[in-house]
Amino acid sequence: MASLLADELRKAEDKPWEVLNAATNSWGPRNELAYLQQYGLFDTDTLVLVINTDDLYATKPISLVVGRSYSYPDKPPGLALIELYQLYLAPPRQIPELEELRNQRKQNLIDNLAAIREIKAIAAKSNIQFILALTPLLSELQTGSTPEETEARNKLQQLVAAEEIEYQDFLQIWSDFPQPESLYRDRIHPSPQGNTKIIDRLASIIVGQK
């Protein structure tokens, strides 16, 4: 997504742009905050945080999964075929301690909102533009948000208003899209078409505020 956003910004303003992507598998707002606290902002002009509805309930950064989940190996696989099986065919390994953390959903929501508030504070301290974008789950576009998802969205909206955050809610932006399934490659992650639409929107905001 970083290279696509740089290309779109270059087209809009006809000058070189450098876009850095700081994310990895299963990161939530607290991971992003920890990264900024550790490595800083790299003298950037704009900080964009893109999350999905599930990220509002993400667990805190933790090492429980390393070496226990197939997605977080602590050593290289013996064969590529073994890795293929583990990642796409084998049933996921159960990690009881992680499930316990995931079940603390109300506290996770509180802590993730606090992390977003702190990310905004870091951007404000450096006097840089901060944009928060929330993408919905596919099911939210198809059948509507659950009560829990609605609660999370409402609390995020309160935070956005209180902190005066530049906010893009793609549930509203995509609400009249005729085939929402084409915007996704699974129930959470956008497809290339979905990513293109996100990038187009973000690029127009970034260029428009320069």
Side-chain angles (χ1 to χ4, degrees):
M1 183 182 282
S3 61
L4 292 175
L5 180 55
D7 289 343
E8 193 63 28
L9 290 168
R10 191 177 300 114
K11 281 189 245 177
E13 287 210 335
D14 193 25
K15 67 178 184 180
W17 288 78
E18 183 177 25
V19 179
L20 302 179
N21 181 34
T24 190
N25 186 31
S26 299
W27 269 22
R30 285 178 280 182
N31 299 85
E32 302 286 358
L33 172 60
Y35 184 93
L36 293 177
Q37 291 172 331
Q38 178 72 26
Y39 298 107
L41 293 168
F42 301 97
D43 295 322
T44 187
D45 296 317
T46 301
L47 176 63
V48 181
L49 177 62
V50 181
I51 59 175
N52 63 67
T53 309
D54 264 8
D55 287 333
L56 294 171
Y57 290 101
T59 60
K60 64 182 179 181
I62 196 164
S63 61
L64 277 173
V65 294
V66 179
R68 300 172 69 182
S69 167
Y70 292 132
S71 297
Y72 297 89
D74 56 359
K75 58 182 179 294
L79 294 170
L81 286 175
I82 295 176
E83 184 177 24
L84 174 67
Y85 171 76
Q86 290 175 340
L87 291 178
Y88 297 104
L89 301 175
R93 289 175 170 172
Q94 298 301 313
I95 304 175
E97 305 98 315
L98 182 60
E99 291 305 314
E100 183 179 343
L101 290 173
R102 287 173 174 165
N103 289 333
Q104 298 172 8
R105 293 179 69 79
K106 287 190 179 294
Q107 188 60 49
N108 285 337
L109 175 59
I110 292 170
D111 292 340
N112 284 314
L113 292 174
I116 295 172
R117 182 184 294 109
E118 184 60 26
I119 291 172
K120 167 60 164 56
I122 291 173
K125 185 176 180 180
S126 297
N127 196 32
I128 68 171
Q129 177 187 11
F130 175 59
I131 302 170
L132 172 65
L134 180 69
T135 61
L137 307 181
L138 175 57
S139 59
E140 292 183 90
L141 289 168
Q142 293 175 324
T143 59
S145 301
T146 66
E148 185 181 58
E149 291 161 355
T150 299
E151 177 188 15
R153 286 178 161 278
N154 289 341
K155 289 187 180 296
L156 179 61
Q157 186 64 58
Q158 292 169 12
L159 172 65
V160 165
E163 299 293 328
E164 299 182 340
I165 295 173
E166 172 66 54
Y167 177 51
Q168 297 295 306
D169 183 357
F170 281 87
L171 179 60
Q172 296 180 6
I173 296 168
W174 290 346
S175 61
D176 59 351
F177 193 80
Q179 295 179 313
E181 61 276 4
S182 68
L183 300 174
Y184 289 80
R185 60 183 175 86
D186 55 30
R187 74 178 189 90
I188 296 176
H189 302 97
S191 65
Q193 182 181 0
N195 277 329
T196 297
K197 288 187 172 296
I198 294 169
I199 288 165
D200 288 347
R201 183 82 175 197
L202 294 176
S204 66
I205 295 168
I206 293 170
V207 172
Q209 293 192 4
K210 292 297 181 187

mmCIF file of all heavy atoms in Angstrom, residues 146-183:
data_model
loop_
_atom_site.group_PDB
_atom_site.id
_atom_site.type_symbol
_atom_site.label_atom_id
_atom_site.label_comp_id
_atom_site.label_asym_id
_atom_site.label_seq_id
_atom_site.Cartn_x
_atom_site.Cartn_y
_atom_site.Cartn_z
ATOM 1 N N THR A 146 -22.656 -5.162 14.325
ATOM 2 C CA THR A 146 -23.229 -5.772 15.525
ATOM 3 C C THR A 146 -23.302 -4.720 16.628
ATOM 4 O O THR A 146 -22.661 -3.663 16.531
ATOM 5 C CB THR A 146 -22.359 -6.943 16.000
ATOM 6 O OG1 THR A 146 -21.089 -6.426 16.437
ATOM 7 C CG2 THR A 146 -22.152 -7.973 14.898
ATOM 8 N N PRO A 147 -24.054 -4.964 17.696
ATOM 9 C CA PRO A 147 -24.083 -4.007 18.808
ATOM 10 C C PRO A 147 -22.692 -3.706 19.359
ATOM 11 O O PRO A 147 -22.383 -2.556 19.696
ATOM 12 C CB PRO A 147 -24.965 -4.704 19.837
ATOM 13 C CG PRO A 147 -25.885 -5.550 19.027
ATOM 14 C CD PRO A 147 -25.057 -6.043 17.881
ATOM 15 N N GLU A 148 -21.836 -4.719 19.446
ATOM 16 C CA GLU A 148 -20.483 -4.501 19.955
ATOM 17 C C GLU A 148 -19.671 -3.630 18.999
ATOM 18 O O GLU A 148 -18.951 -2.721 19.434
ATOM 19 C CB GLU A 148 -19.782 -5.838 20.165
ATOM 20 C CG GLU A 148 -18.408 -5.699 20.808
ATOM 21 C CD GLU A 148 -17.727 -7.041 20.989
ATOM 22 O OE1 GLU A 148 -17.530 -7.747 19.984
ATOM 23 O OE2 GLU A 148 -17.375 -7.369 22.137
ATOM 24 N N GLU A 149 -19.793 -3.882 17.703
ATOM 25 C CA GLU A 149 -19.082 -3.069 16.720
ATOM 26 C C GLU A 149 -19.603 -1.635 16.725
ATOM 27 O O GLU A 149 -18.821 -0.679 16.595
ATOM 28 C CB GLU A 149 -19.232 -3.701 15.328
ATOM 29 C CG GLU A 149 -18.488 -5.017 15.189
ATOM 30 C CD GLU A 149 -18.966 -5.876 14.028
ATOM 31 O OE1 GLU A 149 -19.961 -5.487 13.367
ATOM 32 O OE2 GLU A 149 -18.369 -6.946 13.806
ATOM 33 N N THR A 150 -20.905 -1.488 16.895
ATOM 34 C CA THR A 150 -21.490 -0.152 16.963
ATOM 35 C C THR A 150 -20.984 0.602 18.188
ATOM 36 O O THR A 150 -20.667 1.801 18.115
ATOM 37 C CB THR A 150 -23.024 -0.241 16.998
ATOM 38 O OG1 THR A 150 -23.486 -0.881 15.802
ATOM 39 C CG2 THR A 150 -23.655 1.145 17.098
ATOM 40 N N GLU A 151 -20.880 -0.093 19.311
ATOM 41 C CA GLU A 151 -20.352 0.541 20.523
ATOM 42 C C GLU A 151 -18.921 1.029 20.304
ATOM 43 O O GLU A 151 -18.564 2.156 20.676
ATOM 44 C CB GLU A 151 -20.374 -0.448 21.687
ATOM 45 C CG GLU A 151 -19.769 0.127 22.970
ATOM 46 C CD GLU A 151 -19.615 -0.913 24.072
ATOM 47 O OE1 GLU A 151 -19.710 -2.111 23.782
ATOM 48 O OE2 GLU A 151 -19.377 -0.503 25.222
ATOM 49 N N ALA A 152 -18.098 0.181 19.676
ATOM 50 C CA ALA A 152 -16.708 0.562 19.419
ATOM 51 C C ALA A 152 -16.647 1.771 18.501
ATOM 52 O O ALA A 152 -15.864 2.710 18.726
ATOM 53 C CB ALA A 152 -15.951 -0.615 18.824
ATOM 54 N N ARG A 153 -17.472 1.772 17.466
ATOM 55 C CA ARG A 153 -17.479 2.886 16.529
ATOM 56 C C ARG A 153 -17.944 4.183 17.206
ATOM 57 O O ARG A 153 -17.396 5.257 16.946
ATOM 58 C CB ARG A 153 -18.394 2.570 15.351
ATOM 59 C CG ARG A 153 -17.803 1.552 14.396
ATOM 60 C CD ARG A 153 -18.738 1.215 13.257
ATOM 61 N NE ARG A 153 -17.971 0.604 12.180
ATOM 62 C CZ ARG A 153 -17.277 1.266 11.286
ATOM 63 N NH1 ARG A 153 -17.274 2.582 11.320
ATOM 64 N NH2 ARG A 153 -16.585 0.651 10.360
ATOM 65 N N ASN A 154 -18.940 4.081 18.054
ATOM 66 C CA ASN A 154 -19.435 5.264 18.757
ATOM 67 C C ASN A 154 -18.377 5.845 19.682
ATOM 68 O O ASN A 154 -18.195 7.071 19.756
ATOM 69 C CB ASN A 154 -20.700 4.930 19.544
ATOM 70 C CG ASN A 154 -21.899 4.680 18.651
ATOM 71 O OD1 ASN A 154 -21.913 5.074 17.482
ATOM 72 N ND2 ASN A 154 -22.919 4.024 19.184
ATOM 73 N N LYS A 155 -17.679 4.980 20.390
ATOM 74 C CA LYS A 155 -16.624 5.453 21.300
ATOM 75 C C LYS A 155 -15.460 6.064 20.513
ATOM 76 O O LYS A 155 -14.860 7.055 20.941
ATOM 77 C CB LYS A 155 -16.150 4.318 22.198
ATOM 78 C CG LYS A 155 -17.187 3.910 23.237
ATOM 79 C CD LYS A 155 -16.648 2.901 24.216
ATOM 80 C CE LYS A 155 -17.698 2.512 25.254
ATOM 81 N NZ LYS A 155 -18.093 3.669 26.098
ATOM 82 N N LEU A 156 -15.153 5.481 19.357
ATOM 83 C CA LEU A 156 -14.115 6.067 18.513
ATOM 84 C C LEU A 156 -14.552 7.431 18.000
ATOM 85 O O LEU A 156 -13.753 8.378 17.964
ATOM 86 C CB LEU A 156 -13.802 5.133 17.342
ATOM 87 C CG LEU A 156 -12.733 5.633 16.363
ATOM 88 C CD1 LEU A 156 -11.391 5.832 17.065
ATOM 89 C CD2 LEU A 156 -12.591 4.675 15.190
ATOM 90 N N GLN A 157 -15.815 7.543 17.618
ATOM 91 C CA GLN A 157 -16.329 8.816 17.136
ATOM 92 C C GLN A 157 -16.245 9.888 18.225
ATOM 93 O O GLN A 157 -15.921 11.057 17.947
ATOM 94 C CB GLN A 157 -17.780 8.660 16.668
ATOM 95 C CG GLN A 157 -18.362 9.894 16.007
ATOM 96 C CD GLN A 157 -17.658 10.248 14.715
ATOM 97 O OE1 GLN A 157 -17.591 9.449 13.786
ATOM 98 N NE2 GLN A 157 -17.116 11.452 14.641
ATOM 99 N N GLN A 158 -16.511 9.508 19.464
ATOM 100 C CA GLN A 158 -16.383 10.452 20.579
ATOM 101 C C GLN A 158 -14.938 10.913 20.739
ATOM 102 O O GLN A 158 -14.656 12.096 20.986
ATOM 103 C CB GLN A 158 -16.880 9.792 21.864
ATOM 104 C CG GLN A 158 -18.377 9.522 21.887
ATOM 105 C CD GLN A 158 -18.793 8.634 23.051
ATOM 106 O OE1 GLN A 158 -18.009 8.382 23.979
ATOM 107 N NE2 GLN A 158 -20.023 8.133 23.010
ATOM 108 N N LEU A 159 -14.004 9.976 20.605
ATOM 109 C CA LEU A 159 -12.586 10.319 20.697
ATOM 110 C C LEU A 159 -12.182 11.261 19.571
ATOM 111 O O LEU A 159 -11.474 12.257 19.796
ATOM 112 C CB LEU A 159 -11.749 9.040 20.650
ATOM 113 C CG LEU A 159 -10.229 9.225 20.549
ATOM 114 C CD1 LEU A 159 -9.694 9.884 21.803
ATOM 115 C CD2 LEU A 159 -9.537 7.897 20.296
ATOM 116 N N VAL A 160 -12.627 10.946 18.364
ATOM 117 C CA VAL A 160 -12.300 11.768 17.203
ATOM 118 C C VAL A 160 -12.789 13.201 17.407
ATOM 119 O O VAL A 160 -12.074 14.168 17.113
ATOM 120 C CB VAL A 160 -12.934 11.150 15.932
ATOM 121 C CG1 VAL A 160 -12.943 12.146 14.786
ATOM 122 C CG2 VAL A 160 -12.173 9.884 15.535
ATOM 123 N N ALA A 161 -14.013 13.344 17.923
ATOM 124 C CA ALA A 161 -14.567 14.677 18.150
ATOM 125 C C ALA A 161 -13.801 15.421 19.244
ATOM 126 O O ALA A 161 -13.485 16.608 19.102
ATOM 127 C CB ALA A 161 -16.046 14.569 18.516
ATOM 128 N N ALA A 162 -13.494 14.717 20.322
ATOM 129 C CA ALA A 162 -12.801 15.355 21.444
ATOM 130 C C ALA A 162 -11.382 15.785 21.079
ATOM 131 O O ALA A 162 -10.910 16.839 21.513
ATOM 132 C CB ALA A 162 -12.768 14.408 22.640
ATOM 133 N N GLU A 163 -10.702 14.970 20.279
ATOM 134 C CA GLU A 163 -9.311 15.250 19.927
ATOM 135 C C GLU A 163 -9.158 15.982 18.596
ATOM 136 O O GLU A 163 -8.044 16.281 18.185
ATOM 137 C CB GLU A 163 -8.521 13.929 19.863
ATOM 138 C CG GLU A 163 -8.480 13.160 21.163
ATOM 139 C CD GLU A 163 -7.678 13.886 22.233
ATOM 140 O OE1 GLU A 163 -6.712 14.589 21.867
ATOM 141 O OE2 GLU A 163 -8.024 13.734 23.425
ATOM 142 N N GLU A 164 -10.279 16.262 17.926
ATOM 143 C CA GLU A 164 -10.268 16.965 16.641
ATOM 144 C C GLU A 164 -9.360 16.249 15.637
ATOM 145 O O GLU A 164 -8.476 16.839 15.021
ATOM 146 C CB GLU A 164 -9.851 18.428 16.821
ATOM 147 C CG GLU A 164 -10.794 19.205 17.703
ATOM 148 C CD GLU A 164 -10.403 20.662 17.850
ATOM 149 O OE1 GLU A 164 -9.216 20.976 17.595
ATOM 150 O OE2 GLU A 164 -11.259 21.471 18.194
ATOM 151 N N ILE A 165 -9.606 14.962 15.477
ATOM 152 C CA ILE A 165 -8.812 14.122 14.578
ATOM 153 C C ILE A 165 -9.424 14.122 13.182
ATOM 154 O O ILE A 165 -10.645 14.008 13.036
ATOM 155 C CB ILE A 165 -8.737 12.680 15.126
ATOM 156 C CG1 ILE A 165 -7.967 12.652 16.458
ATOM 157 C CG2 ILE A 165 -8.084 11.740 14.123
ATOM 158 C CD1 ILE A 165 -7.993 11.309 17.154
ATOM 159 N N GLU A 166 -8.597 14.237 12.168
ATOM 160 C CA GLU A 166 -9.043 14.067 10.777
ATOM 161 C C GLU A 166 -9.390 12.599 10.592
ATOM 162 O O GLU A 166 -8.525 11.732 10.647
ATOM 163 C CB GLU A 166 -7.928 14.473 9.810
ATOM 164 C CG GLU A 166 -8.205 14.170 8.354
ATOM 165 C CD GLU A 166 -9.357 14.987 7.783
ATOM 166 O OE1 GLU A 166 -9.323 16.226 7.896
ATOM 167 O OE2 GLU A 166 -10.290 14.363 7.231
ATOM 168 N N TYR A 167 -10.678 12.305 10.368
ATOM 169 C CA TYR A 167 -11.178 10.923 10.447
ATOM 170 C C TYR A 167 -11.900 10.543 9.174
ATOM 171 O O TYR A 167 -12.758 11.289 8.686
ATOM 172 C CB TYR A 167 -12.118 10.818 11.648
ATOM 173 C CG TYR A 167 -12.782 9.488 11.848
ATOM 174 C CD1 TYR A 167 -12.055 8.308 11.879
ATOM 175 C CD2 TYR A 167 -14.164 9.412 12.038
ATOM 176 C CE1 TYR A 167 -12.679 7.079 12.088
ATOM 177 C CE2 TYR A 167 -14.796 8.199 12.261
ATOM 178 C CZ TYR A 167 -14.049 7.035 12.283
ATOM 179 O OH TYR A 167 -14.667 5.822 12.489
ATOM 180 N N GLN A 168 -11.562 9.368 8.646
ATOM 181 C CA GLN A 168 -12.223 8.828 7.472
ATOM 182 C C GLN A 168 -12.850 7.479 7.826
ATOM 183 O O GLN A 168 -12.144 6.517 8.114
ATOM 184 C CB GLN A 168 -11.216 8.651 6.324
ATOM 185 C CG GLN A 168 -10.594 9.947 5.849
ATOM 186 C CD GLN A 168 -11.616 10.874 5.222
ATOM 187 O OE1 GLN A 168 -12.341 10.486 4.301
ATOM 188 N NE2 GLN A 168 -11.685 12.100 5.717
ATOM 189 N N ASP A 169 -14.180 7.434 7.831
ATOM 190 C CA ASP A 169 -14.909 6.212 8.155
ATOM 191 C C ASP A 169 -15.381 5.571 6.854
ATOM 192 O O ASP A 169 -16.333 6.050 6.226
ATOM 193 C CB ASP A 169 -16.093 6.533 9.066
ATOM 194 C CG ASP A 169 -16.856 5.284 9.488
ATOM 195 O OD1 ASP A 169 -16.493 4.180 9.033
ATOM 196 O OD2 ASP A 169 -17.806 5.423 10.271
ATOM 197 N N PHE A 170 -14.731 4.488 6.456
ATOM 198 C CA PHE A 170 -15.060 3.883 5.173
ATOM 199 C C PHE A 170 -16.355 3.085 5.211
ATOM 200 O O PHE A 170 -16.851 2.680 4.157
ATOM 201 C CB PHE A 170 -13.885 3.021 4.693
ATOM 202 C CG PHE A 170 -12.773 3.847 4.096
ATOM 203 C CD1 PHE A 170 -11.780 4.381 4.894
ATOM 204 C CD2 PHE A 170 -12.758 4.111 2.740
ATOM 205 C CE1 PHE A 170 -10.771 5.158 4.345
ATOM 206 C CE2 PHE A 170 -11.758 4.882 2.171
ATOM 207 C CZ PHE A 170 -10.753 5.418 2.987
ATOM 208 N N LEU A 171 -16.926 2.871 6.381
ATOM 209 C CA LEU A 171 -18.270 2.291 6.421
ATOM 210 C C LEU A 171 -19.260 3.259 5.794
ATOM 211 O O LEU A 171 -20.165 2.856 5.053
ATOM 212 C CB LEU A 171 -18.667 1.969 7.862
ATOM 213 C CG LEU A 171 -20.059 1.369 8.050
ATOM 214 C CD1 LEU A 171 -20.213 0.051 7.284
ATOM 215 C CD2 LEU A 171 -20.359 1.151 9.534
ATOM 216 N N GLN A 172 -19.106 4.535 6.078
ATOM 217 C CA GLN A 172 -19.965 5.553 5.475
ATOM 218 C C GLN A 172 -19.579 5.808 4.019
ATOM 219 O O GLN A 172 -20.447 5.944 3.144
ATOM 220 C CB GLN A 172 -19.866 6.846 6.279
ATOM 221 C CG GLN A 172 -20.374 6.720 7.704
ATOM 222 C CD GLN A 172 -20.263 8.025 8.476
ATOM 223 O OE1 GLN A 172 -19.902 9.050 7.928
ATOM 224 N NE2 GLN A 172 -20.567 7.977 9.763
ATOM 225 N N ILE A 173 -18.276 5.864 3.764
ATOM 226 C CA ILE A 173 -17.809 6.170 2.414
ATOM 227 C C ILE A 173 -18.243 5.093 1.420
ATOM 228 O O ILE A 173 -18.587 5.378 0.272
ATOM 229 C CB ILE A 173 -16.275 6.330 2.419
ATOM 230 C CG1 ILE A 173 -15.873 7.533 3.282
ATOM 231 C CG2 ILE A 173 -15.733 6.489 1.006
ATOM 232 C CD1 ILE A 173 -14.393 7.599 3.593
ATOM 233 N N TRP A 174 -18.230 3.839 1.872
ATOM 234 C CA TRP A 174 -18.581 2.723 0.988
ATOM 235 C C TRP A 174 -20.030 2.259 1.157
ATOM 236 O O TRP A 174 -20.422 1.225 0.626
ATOM 237 C CB TRP A 174 -17.656 1.539 1.264
ATOM 238 C CG TRP A 174 -16.234 1.748 0.835
ATOM 239 C CD1 TRP A 174 -15.761 2.721 0.015
ATOM 240 C CD2 TRP A 174 -15.097 0.952 1.200
ATOM 241 N NE1 TRP A 174 -14.403 2.596 -0.157
ATOM 242 C CE2 TRP A 174 -13.966 1.522 0.556
ATOM 243 C CE3 TRP A 174 -14.921 -0.178 2.014
ATOM 244 C CZ2 TRP A 174 -12.678 0.989 0.707
ATOM 245 C CZ3 TRP A 174 -13.639 -0.704 2.148
ATOM 246 C CH2 TRP A 174 -12.537 -0.128 1.499
ATOM 247 N N SER A 175 -20.838 2.980 1.877
ATOM 248 C CA SER A 175 -22.177 2.499 2.242
ATOM 249 C C SER A 175 -23.061 2.209 1.035
ATOM 250 O O SER A 175 -23.943 1.345 1.099
ATOM 251 C CB SER A 175 -22.871 3.516 3.150
ATOM 252 O OG SER A 175 -23.022 4.762 2.468
ATOM 253 N N ASP A 176 -22.859 2.934 -0.061
ATOM 254 C CA ASP A 176 -23.713 2.717 -1.239
ATOM 255 C C ASP A 176 -22.982 1.965 -2.346
ATOM 256 O O ASP A 176 -23.463 1.930 -3.486
ATOM 257 C CB ASP A 176 -24.235 4.057 -1.774
ATOM 258 C CG ASP A 176 -23.105 5.008 -2.177
ATOM 259 O OD1 ASP A 176 -21.928 4.695 -1.885
ATOM 260 O OD2 ASP A 176 -23.399 6.068 -2.777
ATOM 261 N N PHE A 177 -21.847 1.336 -2.022
ATOM 262 C CA PHE A 177 -21.124 0.582 -3.048
ATOM 263 C C PHE A 177 -21.920 -0.675 -3.377
ATOM 264 O O PHE A 177 -22.308 -1.436 -2.479
ATOM 265 C CB PHE A 177 -19.725 0.214 -2.549
ATOM 266 C CG PHE A 177 -18.808 -0.279 -3.633
ATOM 267 C CD1 PHE A 177 -18.165 0.616 -4.475
ATOM 268 C CD2 PHE A 177 -18.605 -1.635 -3.832
ATOM 269 C CE1 PHE A 177 -17.326 0.178 -5.478
ATOM 270 C CE2 PHE A 177 -17.767 -2.094 -4.839
ATOM 271 C CZ PHE A 177 -17.122 -1.183 -5.673
ATOM 272 N N PRO A 178 -22.181 -0.951 -4.662
ATOM 273 C CA PRO A 178 -23.126 -2.025 -5.024
ATOM 274 C C PRO A 178 -22.626 -3.442 -4.745
ATOM 275 O O PRO A 178 -23.434 -4.336 -4.486
ATOM 276 C CB PRO A 178 -23.342 -1.813 -6.526
ATOM 277 C CG PRO A 178 -22.126 -1.069 -6.986
ATOM 278 C CD PRO A 178 -21.726 -0.200 -5.837
ATOM 279 N N GLN A 179 -21.320 -3.693 -4.808
ATOM 280 C CA GLN A 179 -20.782 -5.031 -4.596
ATOM 281 C C GLN A 179 -19.633 -4.977 -3.583
ATOM 282 O O GLN A 179 -18.460 -5.058 -3.955
ATOM 283 C CB GLN A 179 -20.289 -5.630 -5.910
ATOM 284 C CG GLN A 179 -21.393 -5.882 -6.920
ATOM 285 C CD GLN A 179 -20.859 -6.465 -8.217
ATOM 286 O OE1 GLN A 179 -19.882 -5.977 -8.760
ATOM 287 N NE2 GLN A 179 -21.499 -7.520 -8.691
ATOM 288 N N PRO A 180 -19.948 -4.843 -2.300
ATOM 289 C CA PRO A 180 -18.884 -4.669 -1.299
ATOM 290 C C PRO A 180 -17.915 -5.839 -1.226
ATOM 291 O O PRO A 180 -16.755 -5.652 -0.857
ATOM 292 C CB PRO A 180 -19.668 -4.511 0.012
ATOM 293 C CG PRO A 180 -21.020 -5.078 -0.259
ATOM 294 C CD PRO A 180 -21.286 -4.822 -1.702
ATOM 295 N N GLU A 181 -18.366 -7.040 -1.588
ATOM 296 C CA GLU A 181 -17.463 -8.197 -1.513
ATOM 297 C C GLU A 181 -16.264 -8.035 -2.444
ATOM 298 O O GLU A 181 -15.192 -8.612 -2.192
ATOM 299 C CB GLU A 181 -18.204 -9.492 -1.835
ATOM 300 C CG GLU A 181 -18.818 -9.566 -3.212
ATOM 301 C CD GLU A 181 -20.187 -8.921 -3.314
ATOM 302 O OE1 GLU A 181 -20.652 -8.332 -2.314
ATOM 303 O OE2 GLU A 181 -20.791 -9.020 -4.393
ATOM 304 N N SER A 182 -16.397 -7.252 -3.495
ATOM 305 C CA SER A 182 -15.267 -7.045 -4.408
ATOM 306 C C SER A 182 -14.187 -6.160 -3.782
ATOM 307 O O SER A 182 -13.070 -6.095 -4.303
ATOM 308 C CB SER A 182 -15.748 -6.419 -5.714
ATOM 309 O OG SER A 182 -16.207 -5.093 -5.511
ATOM 310 N N LEU A 183 -14.521 -5.494 -2.685
ATOM 311 C CA LEU A 183 -13.554 -4.638 -2.008
ATOM 312 C C LEU A 183 -12.688 -5.406 -1.016
ATOM 313 O O LEU A 183 -11.773 -4.835 -0.423
ATOM 314 C CB LEU A 183 -14.279 -3.517 -1.262
ATOM 315 C CG LEU A 183 -15.128 -2.573 -2.110
ATOM 316 C CD1 LEU A 183 -15.906 -1.620 -1.216
ATOM 317 C CD2 LEU A 183 -14.255 -1.803 -3.097
#
